[in-house]
Amino acid sequence: MNFDYSDEQKFLKEEARKFLAAKCGADRVRAVLEGDHAYDAELWREVAAQGWLGAAIPEAHGGLGLGHVELCAIAEELGRACAPIPFASTVYFVAEALMRFGSEAQQAKWLPKIAAGEVIGAFATSEGPGPVGAVKTRVTGGKLTGTKIPVTDGDVADLIVALADDGLYLVERGEGVVAEALSTLDPTRSAAKLTFTDAPAERLGDEGGHTAMQAVFDRAAVLLAFEQLGGADRCLEMAKDYALQRHAFGRVIAGYQAIKHKLADIYVKNEVARSNAYYGAWALNSGAAELPLAAAIARVAASEAFWFAAKENIQTHGGVGFTWEYDCHLFYRRSRQLALVAGAPAEWRERLVGQLETRNAA
Amino acid sequence: MDFEDTPEEAEYRAKARTWLENNVAAHERERFPDPLTRARAWQARKTEAGYACITWPKEWGGGGGTPIQSVIFGQEEAKFPSVQAGYFTIGLGMCVPTVMGFADDATKQRFVRPAVRGDEIWSQLFSEPAGGSDVAAIRTRAVRDGDDWIVNGQKVWTSGAHYSDYGIVLVRTNTEVPKHKGLTMFWIDLKSPGIDIRPIHQMSGKSDFNEVYFSDVRVPDAQRLGPVDGGWKVALFTLMNERLAVGGATGVGPADILKLARELPGSDGPLLHDRAFRERLADWWVLAEGLRNTRMRAITALSRGQTPGPESSIGKIIAANQLQQIGNAAIEAEGQFGIIDDPDLAPMKGAFHDAVMWAPGLRIAGGTDEILKNIIAERVLGLPGEIRTDKDVAFKDLPAGG
């Protein structure tokens, strides 16, 4: 039984934590929150130099060829640091879509550039409120037309994987693509409305639209779960540290059972999320048939854990937790971004039960 | 990140599986007058093959194996429902390890092997009406009389006392000092004169536990485990093993209510098509998988020769609450019919109703939800302990009530 990170993976994770502690403090997150930049370009270059963008990309395509568990370890640390970079869009969605559906030529063209940090990706599926249903975006004669809103990192993406009614397409920024930045709950991650008008598009894989989208979501869900887990762990730490030094009624508030039990509740949810994220990592890394179910389990647990930890962290802080100056809201905002980016928790609960039904029927 | 055995583990598992297939079959061919005799015979069979108390030294009747071997055998044995029985769990999980830790050689020679074989069963007598979560508040008194002690008082929630032979009992030997400092541990013969064992009538109507009354019970000083007034440390040693022994809940789970929901009518088609039900089912499934995968992490630690981390402490909180919620969701889903617990009429022979009536006990046994959260907060997260107003007060001066 080996249901944990290996020693080498733990080492990688520790190194990633040290690196991000040095390069991605709260000041860097705030600089994006309060500034005009869509992401932290310097951090992006440094992360690329570490090779993290290509952790799971094969060496033949310019990556490190490590594996998905290593990528999960990095994701956990990026979540803990609340990193303000387009890592998820580029790596979890676009690189994964290319590795899952791309032709050899498409992979050879794009994966090395992604691994090197030369190309930012975005995954464009939503066209309005509610789950992604009937898609209006169409492709005729290799030209894609439609509107996608919101597209995380759509304003800075060089390569867009867009969902049309008949499948996924690769669209490069430029001809026929107009991006308008959107105001969102989490300004540390940018988002845009993308309008495509006869944009040159190249088919990615031959799966039908929703099947292909869901296959990408399943892979991304596992990786996002690790980011959410890292964020939830950080919230628990913040709440604990604050409660241990804040005095009220003559003693530290960490001694009150109302606070102790609240933090214990966060801990329980985080451990459930961790165990289920590991299960997702196993399924993703081994190519198991259970991936759709494991991804749903990991995502529901992680979304719940991060939301709970982020909101109760603010509550534990009391009034100061509600101020702009304290960092609690950075994680509260990020918990919303990560919970919605690949479809809301309710959609994943539905998908989970759907998987149970098909599994039992089979 | 995988669920694979190491080559050594795989070899051990294969051997265990073969042994189980052969021996369960042989065991099932034998006839026994009652379930206890049947369980004893299976335990003896395991002992001879080194599969009882796998981690204990061979000289004490154990298997001389590793914790991961014990887990592997447990996983394989669990596939054979006909040999599942709980008679020896508390004795071998908590009591006999305490005897091994604190008794003299002659006592260990006399008692350990018969307990491993299942010939003799042990009970744990700690809880009292005045001390449940606060075990150190117990009031059962032992007073020195020559080479003996005279014990008077009452224990509660003693599992299996009615079929047990021996027990370990925590008593108060000094009331002039603070509560933790006046306790002493003894082993006792449950057939001693003056011991009266009565079943507790639980809210469910069943009786799984006992009250044990002590009236001038004479216990030789030679049966003392640890120093006079030094019983608290001995009790902590025993309780370290408790949550492992109580551990996983049995009973209905998400798969059972999924099956039920396929058949039960909802507002529009089967209940399984109901959106609100599906959301709850997903959450139950996530928690059940969370528990299963957390166990896998604990087993991984054992496999690597490490001690499982505090993550295993979350198990009982989740399992007990989940059992209560799933049981209740099922009966509510049955509408007016849900009140019927007749096994001939209720789904799954009333298993959901049993869950509703058993779960309140599981949320209390072996550490209440609240005590477990304190343990997580204090021992895992390092938050301060509770303020104890009784810490420096002699036991006799403590306010007593309820």
Side-chain angles (χ1 to χ4, degrees):
Chain A
M1 182 71 69
N2 186 32
F3 192 57
D4 194 358
Y5 291 122
S6 67
D7 287 343
E8 294 75 19
Q9 288 157 352
K10 281 181 185 166
F11 179 76
L12 170 71
K13 189 163 172 289
E14 279 161 28
E15 291 300 306
R17 181 173 302 192
K18 282 186 217 158
F19 176 85
L20 289 166
K23 307 280 186 184
C24 183
D27 55 324
R28 299 284 285 268
V29 184
R30 283 180 174 275
V32 175
L33 175 72
E34 295 166 359
D36 297 328
H37 296 292
Y39 65 101
D40 185 331
E42 191 187 335
L43 179 64
W44 183 247
R45 279 192 294 277
E46 286 165 334
V47 160
Q50 292 293 308
W52 293 356
L53 295 164
I57 294 175
E59 285 175 280
H61 291 311
L64 297 180
L66 291 172
H68 280 95
V69 181
E70 284 78 2
L71 184 55
C72 289
I74 292 167
E76 198 178 329
E77 294 306 321
L78 289 168
R80 158 181 282 273
C82 208
I85 48 176
F87 195 92
S89 302
T90 306
V91 178
Y92 313 160
F93 289 95
V94 172
E96 288 298 321
L98 282 163
M99 287 195 285
R100 173 71 179 77
F101 293 115
S103 66
E104 180 53 35
Q106 287 168 330
Q107 294 189 2
K109 179 176 179 188
W110 292 110
L111 291 176
K113 289 181 179 158
I114 287 176
E118 293 161 10
V119 160
I120 290 174
F123 192 52
T125 55
S126 171
E127 298 183 351
V132 178
V135 172
K136 292 199 185 105
T137 299
R138 292 212 178 356
V139 177
T140 5
K143 307 275 186 188
L144 184 136
T145 298
T147 303
K148 294 291 180 184
I149 177 169
V151 181
T152 301
D153 299 308
D155 47 341
V156 291
D158 307 291
L159 177 66
I160 300 141
V161 174
L163 174 69
D165 61 342
D166 63 340
L168 297 177
Y169 288 84
L170 291 172
V171 181
E172 292 182 51
R173 179 160 59 158
E175 188 191 337
V177 184
V178 175
E180 296 164 71
L182 297 168
S183 167
T184 72
L185 275 180
D186 182 12
T188 68
R189 303 292 300 101
S190 72
K193 174 181 173 185
L194 292 184
T195 308
F196 301 93
T197 314
D198 290 332
E202 183 181 312
R203 183 75 196 232
L204 179 66
D206 43 23
E207 286 283 347
H210 280 80
T211 314
M213 176 187 75
Q214 196 57 57
V216 177
F217 275 174
D218 285 344
R219 303 171 82 80
V222 173
L223 297 157
L224 291 168
F226 278 87
E227 278 209 15
Q228 292 168 306
L229 174 63
D233 277 342
R234 182 74 195 109
C235 288
L236 176 56
E237 266 177 31
M238 289 167 71
K240 186 181 85 172
D241 292 347
Y242 184 79
L244 279 168
Q245 57 89 15
R246 171 71 178 179
H247 283 69
F249 306 105
R251 56 187 175 113
V252 294
I253 63 169
Y256 293 108
Q257 230 170 47
I259 297 293
K260 287 165 75 174
H261 287 190
K262 182 193 294 298
L263 299 196
D265 288 341
I266 299 176
Y267 175 80
V268 169
K269 284 182 191 289
N270 287 8
E271 290 307 308
V272 167
R274 188 181 330 280
S275 299
N276 285 337
Y278 284 12
Y279 181 51
W282 164 78
L284 177 60
N285 196 54
S286 64
E290 290 97 327
L291 178 62
L293 179 60
I297 288 169
R299 178 145 177 86
V300 171
S303 296
E304 168 65 18
F306 196 11
W307 167 240
F308 186 77
K311 76 188 174 76
E312 297 309 319
N313 180 36
I314 296 175
Q315 187 70 14
T316 303
H317 276 72
V320 295
F322 186 61
T323 65
W324 186 263
E325 287 80 2
Y326 272 67
D327 292 336
C328 303
H329 68 112
L330 303 180
F331 290 89
Y332 190 73
R333 293 171 182 281
R334 183 61 64 84
S335 84
R336 299 303 76 220
Q337 199 276 335
L338 289 173
L340 298 172
V341 67
E347 295 172 43
W348 284 93
R349 288 185 171 93
E350 178 52 40
R351 177 153 174 83
L352 193 164
V353 175
Q355 288 294 314
L356 296 177
E357 286 178 298
T358 42
R359 195 179 65 163
N360 268 9
Chain B
M1 195 78 77
D2 60 55
F3 302 99
E4 307 302 321
D5 286 332
T6 65
E8 300 78 42
E9 288 164 7
E11 190 188 330
Y12 184 87
R13 189 184 297 279
K15 248 177 62 188
R17 195 175 289 165
T18 308
W19 184 88
L20 280 162
E21 279 161 6
N22 295 333
N23 283 271
V24 171
H27 176 73
E28 281 174 349
R29 281 193 295 273
E30 288 187 51
R31 290 185 190 286
F32 300 99
D34 57 78
L36 177 55
T37 315
R38 166 174 286 272
R40 285 188 202 274
W42 177 245
Q43 185 72 12
R45 207 181 261 270
K46 285 202 293 183
T47 306
E48 276 151 30
Y51 288 130
C53 300
I54 285 168
T55 59
W56 296 11
K58 286 186 177 169
E59 55 171 314
W60 296 113
T66 62
I68 191 68
Q69 290 177 345
S70 180
V71 166
I72 290 171
F73 185 82
Q75 289 173 332
E76 295 302 318
E77 189 184 28
K79 295 172 186 166
F80 298 91
S82 71
V83 295
Q84 301 304 310
Y87 295 107
F88 314 112
T89 311
I90 288 174
L92 297 177
M94 303 171 70
C95 305
V96 180
T98 307
V99 170
M100 290 165 84
F102 293 92
D104 56 35
D105 261 359
T107 306
K108 287 192 271 190
Q109 293 293 351
R110 161 64 188 84
F111 288 107
V112 176
R113 280 174 170 276
V116 172
R117 281 184 59 86
D119 295 340
E120 292 170 353
I121 299 178
W122 287 68
S123 278
Q124 182 250 71
L125 300 103
F126 288 10
S127 289
E128 293 189 11
S133 292
D134 185 9
V135 175
I138 57 156
R139 315 187 78 82
T140 293
R141 283 283 276 141
V143 177
R144 190 82 189 229
D145 180 36
D147 286 339
D148 296 338
W149 295 80
I150 308 296
V151 179
N152 280 286
Q154 180 198 353
K155 295 290 175 180
V156 289
W157 304 114
T158 315
S159 314
H162 52 298
Y163 54 72
S164 292
D165 304 284
Y166 299 96
I168 56 172
V169 59
L170 188 66
V171 296
R172 183 158 307 282
T173 42
N174 189 345
T175 61
E176 304 292 326
V177 290
K179 64 178 185 179
H180 290 95
K181 295 176 180 165
L183 302 170
T184 305
M185 189 80 78
F186 293 91
W187 68 264
I188 51 159
D189 182 345
L190 285 171
K191 310 283 189 309
S192 306
I195 292 182
D196 183 17
I197 297 168
R198 299 178 203 165
I200 295 177
H201 198 194
Q202 292 153 217
M203 59 168 264
S204 61
K206 294 181 180 168
S207 291
D208 301 299
F209 305 91
N210 303 277
E211 295 174 294
V212 181
Y213 290 84
F214 293 78
S215 309
D216 292 330
V217 177
R218 191 164 280 276
V219 180
D221 185 57
Q223 296 182 199
R224 181 158 43 79
L225 298 170
V228 173
D229 294 346
W232 183 243
K233 276 195 176 152
V234 185
L236 289 180
F237 181 90
T238 311
L239 292 171
M240 259 185 353
N241 298 303
E242 171 154 28
R243 266 165 288 280
L244 293 177
V246 175
T250 50
V252 291
D256 298 305
I257 200 166
L258 167 63
K259 192 161 173 285
L260 178 74
R262 286 178 186 282
E263 294 150 14
L264 267 189
S267 49
D268 182 22
L271 177 64
L272 187 54
H273 293 178
D274 180 276
R275 190 160 185 86
F277 177 82
R278 293 168 79 84
E279 288 228 348
R280 297 179 72 193
L281 176 62
D283 285 334
W284 294 324
W285 208 274
V286 165
L287 283 178
E289 281 295 305
L291 283 188
R292 188 179 70 91
N293 291 321
T294 299
R295 272 197 297 278
M296 295 302 160
R297 289 169 56 204
I299 294 170
T300 297
L302 290 176
S303 174
R304 293 178 180 180
Q306 303 156 351
T307 309
E311 65 275 359
S312 39
S313 60
I314 70 174
K316 197 186 77 95
I317 296 186
I318 294 177
N321 284 279
Q322 174 108 313
L323 185 70
Q324 195 164 34
Q325 286 183 22
I326 290 178
N328 188 51
I331 67 168
E332 287 193 4
E334 289 159 39
Q336 298 183 47
F337 195 87
I339 200 69
I340 302 170
D341 68 352
D342 182 338
D344 292 335
L345 297 172
M348 277 189 74
K349 297 180 180 164
F352 294 106
H353 298 76
D354 288 346
V356 168
M357 298 308 284
W358 167 242
L362 193 61
R363 289 185 53 197
I364 295 162
T368 63
D369 288 358
E370 292 74 18
I371 288 290
L372 293 180
K373 285 184 187 180
N374 277 359
I375 288 173
I376 290 171
E378 292 169 23
R379 296 194 205 153
V380 181
L381 302 177
L383 306 184
E386 295 301 299
I387 290 175
R388 300 183 195 279
T389 54
D390 54 2
K391 200 169 65 180
D392 300 317
V393 183
F395 182 78
K396 65 182 169 55
D397 298 327
L398 289 178

